[in-house]
Every structure is written in C-alpha cells, then in structure tokens.
C-alpha cells in the first residue's frame, strides 16, 4: 500500500505545482568576502576556489527535489569579493531583487552588510562570523546566525573536558584580536562548567611565513620553552583563531597532556569524515558534485539555504521577513545530519545545533554531552542563553 500511495501523493503535489497556485521562484545569493591572510600551516587546508559556493550548489539540488513537486524553483548566485568591494557587491545583489543573502564575512563587515540589507528588507544569514556581540547587544533583526558563536564552540569543548574530569586547564592564546576573543570564550566556558584555568600564556604572532623550510624548526625550539613550567594541569586549551601556532602544540608541549580547542580535538560544525545520522549520503553527493571533501564553510552555506528551502516549503512565501518569522517560530525544525533537528533561538537569531568534536580523522564526540541539562533544550547549554543575551532586535 505504501508503494502505491507515495506515487499518488507525488502526482497530486505535481498537479498542485503545475496549476501555478503554489508556484514560487526562490532566488538567493552567497556573498563571500575574501581577506588577505597567510597561507595555512598545512597544504591540506588550502582554500578551494568554490569554498562555500559548493554548499550552495548542493542546497539548490536538495531544495529543488522537494520544490519540483510544489512548483518551487531555486536559484542561487555566487559573489566573491575583496573587503573593499563588499558593499558594492551587496548593492548589485539587492539591485537584482534578491532579498535572501548568505554572507561569509568577518564580524564588522557582516554587521555593516546586514544594516545595508535591512534598508531593502533583505534577510542575511551568517555562515562564518563567530563573534559574541553579533548575538548580543549588536544583534540585528534581519540577521540569522547559521555559524556557531565562539561561545558555542568553547562550551562544546568544555563540556567534553569536564565530562572526562579534565578540569584543570592551561590556556595558551594567540595575540591577534580574533584569538583574544576566542580565549575569552574559553574563560567563560571554564567558569560556566566548573573548570579552572591554572595557567595562561599569550603566544605572540610576529608574522612571517609559517610553511618555510625552517618554520617547523623555529616552532620546535620555541614552544617547549614557551610552555615550560606551567602549573599542574590536565589539559592544554589552545585559542588560535588565526591558525598561527596551535597545530604544533600536540607534540611540542613541554608536558605530555592532551590538546583541545584550535588543535588536537577541535569543535566544528561538520567535517569530511562524519558519517553518522545519514551523513554518508550527504558526503557522497557533495563529493560527486565538487570532486573534493566538504569544509565547514560549505556545510554552513548548505544549511543556511536549506533553512530557506524548508521555510519556503512550509510557509509558502518568498517574502524575506515572512521566512524569517517562520524560521524563528516553534513550527520550524530541520534535519541536519547531526542526530536531532535544529531550530532557532527566537531571542537572538542563533541556530541551535550540536557541535562535532573532531581530531582530524574521526568524530570523537558530539556536544552537548550527556548530563548537561537545560529547561528548554540541551542545545541551549552551548553559547549564549536567553537570560544572558542583551539582544532586543527580536522582541
């Protein structure tokens, strides 16, 4: 009976779509701001030309699978620009009548772009910026956060460390502004979950190439001396958002201790070895489409556009603010290959989602960890909770 009913249902949906009653053309854009940075420490981390855009291509395919039955079409345009061209690129997107924009940019640029988009009634979905202020007193009513915050990532690591009873931390942070903000997230996580930072040091970024013939020799000499004499600790937490030194800590730390944070065991939204909860089919489809492995940026963009697709399907509208309102409602939920449906925090626009803990080869664990409870959702143990948020844009 099931095999008879499913084709009939599909036929009915096709008729509805063909009638035009539900026909919708969904146009979106992905705007990626490319910053000048040093090459990554490892050539495995060289950035693909289609980073982020590949996730959009797969999302259009996935959205189109359902959309064909409903008369919905999906088209996403891609724009990459240097920081100085970001405003002009957004203006071009808005001039085409597109009011659904996924942005890969740093915090300050994202806020400025969101404010410009708000003037045209456009919805912005943040696929990369991790700053706390974006979810707090600098939140915007037209800005939804697909990317986790620094706080969510730090809390994911902290829960696992506390679950393992590794509560005495040695915090090593970089000197760049992004490193400083990430280090503060780990301090808050320690206070939140009952860990103690026994010792703390700053590794100064002096610039220069990190992949020269002598680069590893320099680090091999510096880091053991730099970490020597730290107070007794269970764990080294690395806060290196700019990828300057943390990758070397595992085998150059003076004391034989596990490393977590920006190296060793690090938090991520997704990675190419993740296979649980049906993720294998996501991985194989992505690899067939792109010829490479998925990166977190690809997954974040895919997830952002799947939020759009799910909201369009359920709310039967392409109005940007109408889609935002549905996404923030109690009716919205979306499967994301992480073992449970993801939803939004309606007080600051942050997507609730599990965080994978990855060692470079496998998913070691997934946070929130068992035993960390919350009156609304265990996912709200990660990052800024409602009583802590100063965001008022969604009131």
């Amino acid at each position: 009976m099931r095999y008879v009913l499913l084709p009939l249902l599909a036929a009915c949906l096709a008729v509805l779509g063909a009638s035009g009653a539900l026909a919708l053309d969904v146009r979106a854009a992905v705007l990626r701001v490319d910053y000048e940075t040093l090459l990554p420490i490892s050539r495995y981390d060289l950035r693909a030309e289609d980073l982020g855009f590949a996730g959009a291509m797969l999302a259009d395919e996935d959205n189109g699978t359902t959309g064909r039955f409903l008369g919905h079409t999906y088209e996403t345009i891609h724009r990459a620009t240097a920081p100085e061209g970001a405003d002009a690129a957004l203006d071009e997107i808005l001039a085409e009548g597109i009011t659904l924009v996924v942005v890969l940019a740093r915090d300050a640029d994202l806020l400025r772009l969101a404010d410009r988009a708000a003037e045209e009634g456009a919805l912005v979905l943040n696929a990369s910026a991790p700053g706390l202020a974006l979810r707090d007193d600098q939140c915007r009513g037209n800005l939804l956060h697909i990317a986790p915050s620094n706080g969510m990532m730090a809390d994911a690591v902290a829960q696992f460390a506390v679950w393992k009873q590794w509560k005495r931390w040695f915090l090593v942070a970089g000197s760049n502004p992004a490193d400083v903000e990430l280090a503060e997230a780990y301090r808050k996580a320690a206070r939140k979950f009952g860990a103690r930072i026994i010792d703390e040091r700053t590794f100064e970024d002096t610039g220069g190439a990190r992949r020269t013939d002598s680069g590893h020799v320099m680090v091999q000499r510096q880091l053991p001396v730099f970490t020597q004499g730290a107070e007794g600790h269970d764990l080294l937490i690395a806060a290196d958002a700019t990828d300057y030194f943390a990758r070397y800590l595992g085998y150059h730390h003076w004391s034989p201790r596990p490393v977590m944070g920006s190296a060793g065991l690090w938090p991520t939204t997704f990675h190419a070895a993740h296979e649980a909860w049906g993720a294998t089919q996501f991985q194989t489809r992505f690899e067939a489409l792109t010829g490479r492995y998925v990166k977190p940026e690809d997954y974040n963009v895919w997830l952002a556009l799947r939020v759009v697709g799910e909201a369009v399907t359920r709310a039967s509208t392409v109005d940007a603010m109408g889609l935002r309102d549905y996404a923030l409602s109690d009716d919205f939920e979306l499967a994301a290959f992480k073992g449970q449906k993801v939803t939004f925090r309606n007080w600051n626009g942050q997507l609730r989602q599990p965080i994978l803990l990855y060692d470079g080869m496998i998913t070691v664990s997934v946070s929130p960890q068992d035993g960390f409870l919350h009156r609304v959702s265990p996912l709200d143990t990660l990052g800024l909770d409602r009583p802590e948020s100063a965001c008022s844009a969604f009131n």
Side-chain angles (χ1 to χ4, degrees):
M1 181 65 72
R2 180 180 62 181
Y3 297 108
V4 174
L5 290 177
L6 285 176
L8 287 175
L9 176 59
C12 291
L13 290 172
V15 170
L16 286 173
S19 71
L22 299 175
L24 296 170
D25 296 322
V26 186
R27 300 190 69 217
V30 178
L31 174 57
R32 191 185 73 197
V33 181
D34 294 336
Y35 301 91
E36 287 191 10
T37 60
L38 294 172
L39 287 172
I41 289 176
S42 170
R43 66 189 305 273
Y44 279 125
D45 296 320
L46 289 172
R47 191 174 71 172
E49 290 294 323
D50 62 350
L51 184 70
F53 301 151
M57 294 167 57
L58 185 60
D60 278 353
E61 285 192 2
D62 291 348
N63 287 333
T65 299
T66 301
R68 282 193 296 273
F69 295 118
L70 301 173
H72 300 170
T73 63
Y74 291 86
E75 176 191 5
T76 303
I77 66 171
H78 310 152
R79 296 287 185 271
T81 178
E84 58 270 20
D87 296 84
L90 178 62
D91 284 341
E92 291 175 5
I93 290 169
L94 296 174
E96 293 188 39
I98 295 173
T99 57
L100 300 168
V101 187
V102 181
V103 175
L104 293 146
R106 293 177 180 171
D107 292 17
D109 289 332
L110 175 67
L111 276 183
R112 188 182 67 257
L113 295 171
D115 287 340
R116 172 68 186 98
E119 296 173 7
E120 304 297 328
L123 178 65
V124 173
L125 297 103
N126 167 28
S128 63
L132 172 67
L134 301 176
R135 286 91 171 159
D136 198 19
D137 58 342
Q138 295 298 310
C139 68
R140 300 293 191 267
N142 69 321
L143 178 58
L144 299 181
H145 303 284
I146 306 303
S149 65
N150 280 329
M152 292 173 67
M153 295 297 211
D155 287 351
V157 171
Q159 285 191 11
F160 182 72
V162 170
W163 178 76
K164 292 288 292 181
Q165 296 298 310
W166 297 339
K167 297 183 180 181
R168 297 178 302 165
W169 297 358
F170 175 22
L171 176 63
V172 178
S175 58
N176 297 300
D179 307 330
V180 172
E181 184 170 346
L182 181 57
E184 180 57 24
Y186 278 107
R187 293 187 197 99
K188 290 180 178 179
R191 293 192 296 268
K192 183 175 179 179
F193 296 110
R196 283 196 305 140
I197 296 177
I198 302 296
D199 204 339
E200 181 174 344
R201 298 180 188 180
T202 299
F203 192 83
E204 294 291 336
D205 184 348
T206 57
R210 295 170 291 186
R211 292 172 60 196
T212 60
D213 291 341
S214 60
H216 70 281
V217 176
M218 177 186 70
V219 173
Q220 187 167 351
R221 291 174 178 172
Q222 286 182 343
L223 281 179
V225 176
F226 174 79
T227 57
Q228 185 178 8
E231 294 293 328
H233 54 281
D234 303 316
L235 173 66
L236 189 151
I237 296 286
D240 179 24
T242 46
D243 189 30
Y244 182 65
F245 67 92
R247 304 290 186 97
Y248 292 106
L249 279 169
Y251 294 96
H252 294 297
H253 178 22
W254 184 267
S255 304
R257 299 291 185 273
V259 177
M260 295 187 193
S262 299
L265 187 68
W266 66 88
T268 185
T269 54
F270 213 72
H271 63 82
H274 181 60
E275 296 181 291
W277 302 302
T280 300
Q281 58 96 353
F282 174 94
Q283 305 282 12
T284 54
R285 290 187 297 113
F286 183 89
E287 290 157 17
L289 182 67
T290 65
R292 63 174 178 84
Y293 292 131
V294 68
K295 293 289 188 178
E297 294 88 345
D298 300 309
Y299 175 79
N300 292 352
V301 171
W302 173 85
L303 189 54
L305 291 171
R306 284 293 295 122
V307 167
V308 170
E310 182 68 14
V312 168
T313 298
R314 302 298 179 182
S316 297
T317 182
V318 293
D319 175 70
M321 291 302 103
L323 295 176
R324 185 210 73 154
D325 291 345
Y326 181 80
L328 293 172
S329 74
D330 293 338
D331 294 329
F332 177 84
E333 60 179 21
L334 178 65
F337 304 111
K338 290 188 177 183
Q340 57 184 296
K341 302 291 181 67
V342 298
T343 61
F344 280 94
R345 295 171 181 160
N346 59 14
W347 66 87
N348 69 354
Q350 174 67 60
L351 186 73
R352 299 180 179 96
Q353 59 177 303
I355 302 298
L356 310 182
L357 299 176
Y358 176 53
D359 72 344
M361 292 296 290
I362 62 170
T363 301
V364 173
S365 188
V366 181
S367 288
Q369 300 292 318
D370 290 342
F372 290 88
L373 306 178
H374 190 278
R375 61 186 179 84
V376 176
S377 167
L379 293 172
D380 281 344
T381 62
L382 303 178
L384 203 64
D385 201 1
R386 183 192 290 267
E388 304 168 307
S389 176
C391 178
S392 59
F394 295 89
N395 292 347

